[in-house]
Amino acid sequence: MKRIEKKALARRGIDGLAAYVPGKPVEEAIREYGLKEMIRLASNENPLGTSPKALEAMKQALDDAYLYPEGSSTELRRKVAATFGIEADMVIFGNGADNILLMIAQAFIDEDDEVIVGDPTFSVYETVTRIMGGRVVKVPLRDFTYDLSAIVRKITPQTKLIFVCNPNNPTGSLVTEKEVAQFMDQVPAHCVVVFDEAYAEFVQERNYPQTIRYIHHQKNVLMVRTLSKIFGLAGVRIGYALGPQKLINVLCKVAEPFPVNRVAQAGGLAALDDGEFVKRVLEVNEEGKHYLYEQFSQLGMSYVPSHTNFVFVHLGMDGKLAFQKLWEKGIVIRPGDIWNLPEFSRITIGTAEQNEKLVKALAMIKKENAS
Ligand SMILES: Cc1ncc(COP(=O)(O)O)c(C=O)c1O
């Protein structure tokens, strides 16, 4: 009798991929440790909340919740296009930048294509690549920063995508205009470079690359942005990509019919006009960042200078232990074991009050740990 080969049901690329494990429910800790609240410094959310203009617009949009949203976020695309001096068909919106990253993988990665990423960096690049059966090529960071020269050396005829997280999550470092220009000169035409600029609005550095120039020049470049961070819209999910028409057209083919819901579109449109909120967020972030730098130094903890709303800090103790102790005190941070840097943690910059509570708790934990 002919033997029937047993075949896995899931696609090959998905074999061995672990499902996303959500963080412990905050409510559990609040109950268990009798806390008033949990200070959330683990996900780089906006400590000032949501743009008030966006909030108002979203409340109004709820009245029309029974209607499908406009499918291609036309008004938003026009608005963003005008800001960057490009055409509206060079912009695509999605259900958060995560959704855009998945669309990029769906649109460009064939089985066994190679995809180059930094290490450590944002984990979604690896996930979406593996879903599509692509092969992830990890290039270690140098001095906690994307090493673009080393990435160029890893390019092969099989390389399809290169993800450059700039500034990089989790380290907060960036690559400069000059470094990117040298890199772009060496990237062959069969590769698409994706600049993930989720934290661009926080960058104060003058040498931050203007990646839009490559899009103007029709290079194979996509720039990914989100409204989750500086505008405080993480909960409604809205992000976008810019690129030459030839690339955006391909992304449109894999987009869902209604990727951005009605409430998020209304919120996004209003948020993009809320310069006052952005200014306040930046002030609080800069002040908080310098306060944390100073306090970390006093605690004997080194850190990577950050261009974002978080700091990657060397706690000098087991990050998971620090996580647990902070958790019990009502503060949640992201321990570094997931990036194979167990003594590090990524800590979101909070409000002045939150930062002070964090520093106090860290000082206490450090003392306990030493005794
Ligand atoms: C580098 C980077 N890219 C993309 C995202 C996803 O953003 P969104 O909330 O729009 O899905 C994040 C979120 O933390 C991020 O850090």
Side-chain angles (χ1 to χ4, degrees), residues 53-74:
K53 282 189 178 170
L55 211 50
E56 197 45 47
M58 290 193 289
K59 283 179 190 161
Q60 280 179 27
L62 277 177
D63 287 346
D64 289 332
Y66 68 103
L67 296 172
Y68 282 105
E70 201 276 303
S72 65
S73 306
T74 305

Side-chain angles (χ1 to χ4, degrees), residues 291-310:
Y291 169 77
L292 288 180
Y293 284 175
E294 212 179 286
Q295 298 297 319
F296 288 154
S297 297
Q298 279 187 23
L299 289 169
M301 297 172 177
S302 56
Y303 55 85
V304 182
S306 172
H307 297 275
T308 63
N309 66 342
F310 57 84

Side-chain angles (χ1 to χ4, degrees), residues 72 111 116 119 126 143 150 211 221 235 287 335 347 352 354 360:
S72 65
E111 281 221 348
I116 306 182
D119 184 29
E126 176 167 359
D143 292 337
T211 38
V221 162
E287 218 171 282
I347 302 181
Q354 291 175 333
K360 226 167 154 185

Side-chain angles (χ1 to χ4, degrees), residues 43-44 95-99 101 122 125 165 167-169 196 198-199 224-229 234 237-239 310 346:
S43 303
N44 308 335
N95 188 36
D98 283 343
N99 174 231
L101 294 169
F122 189 49
Y125 313 142
C165 190
N168 187 39
N169 177 2
D196 181 345
Y199 300 93
V224 178
R225 298 271 179 121
T226 178
L227 280 81
S228 293
K229 308 295 176 184
R237 317 300 300 127
I238 179 164
F310 57 84
R346 191 195 66 198

